[in-house]
Amino acid sequence: MQTYQLHFHPDFPPRAITRVEAQIIGFDDHLVRIRWRVDGSGSLVVPPYSGRGRQDELWRTTCFELFLRPEGGQEYVEINLSPSGRWAAYQFSGYRDGMSNRPASREPEIGLREGSTFAIFDAAIPRDVLPQLPAAMAITAILEEEGGTKSYWAMVHPQAKPDFHDPACFAATLAAPQGS
């Protein structure tokens, strides 16, 4: 599968993080599996495990996100995933408009592994949370480091301020898995 290099927004540089990449590591009729790798993660703030379940405003600290917009449409889905075990999924009718909770048949599976100089965040998202495919895709991350430094990572940053909802951020495509 393809690896996507994420770039920090120039107005919000990281303190110690040197690289972030993401990869779709598996996709079948039941789950899409995505992995983020964060290099230079020694000062990464990892929210403590707080149990599984939905939670809003996960973006206020370290959070990994996936945005998907079906081809030819204005509607899109935002999925937020936290190392705390919490997650959120939203449906939008247009750019930052008409937000509602997106249903899920089950909760995403979330896990974080930390090495001495890197962290790996894995998520397995139920297929029914995804919109119709193929879909334009944005893979993003908000990374908080000790001391309150926050950096905003995306494949593309089209605005003067970080805005992952901007249509230009949807810089890749997620196709249905072969055989579906």
Side-chain angles (χ1 to χ4, degrees), residues 43-127:
S43 65
L44 183 67
V45 172
V46 177
Y49 183 76
S50 59
R52 296 173 69 176
R54 283 187 185 254
Q55 183 178 327
D56 293 329
E57 298 187 349
L58 295 172
W59 51 267
R60 292 190 179 274
T61 187
T62 298
C63 178
F64 300 87
E65 300 180 340
L66 176 66
F67 292 78
L68 295 163
R69 185 185 65 234
E71 286 186 350
Q74 297 297 313
E75 293 184 354
Y76 63 96
V77 172
E78 174 185 358
I79 302 164
N80 301 162
L81 305 154
S82 172
S84 69
R86 299 297 179 146
W87 63 278
Y90 306 105
Q91 176 75 42
F92 290 85
S93 59
Y95 173 73
R96 293 189 174 272
D97 191 40
M99 185 176 98
S100 61
N101 280 329
R102 177 111 174 143
S105 60
R106 61 185 175 150
E107 295 184 304
E109 300 166 19
I110 299 169
L112 179 73
R113 296 186 316 254
E114 294 181 272
S116 59
T117 61
F118 68 93
I120 302 288
F121 181 79
D122 286 330
I125 303 164
R127 176 87 184 259

Side-chain angles (χ1 to χ4, degrees), residues 8 14 19 27-28 30 46 50 55 61 72 75 79-80 100 111 129 131 150-151 154 161 165 172 178:
F8 64 86
R19 185 175 67 153
F27 195 8
D28 60 28
H30 306 289
V46 177
S50 59
Q55 183 178 327
T61 187
E75 293 184 354
I79 302 164
N80 301 162
S100 61
V129 176
K150 285 186 189 171
S151 53
K161 63 178 186 169
H165 294 255
Q178 293 183 358

Side-chain angles (χ1 to χ4, degrees), residues 6 8 14-20 38-41 117 145 153:
L6 305 186
F8 64 86
R15 211 177 91 214
I17 296 168
T18 58
R19 185 175 67 153
V20 177
V38 179
D39 289 330
S41 63
T117 61
E145 294 176 85
W153 297 76

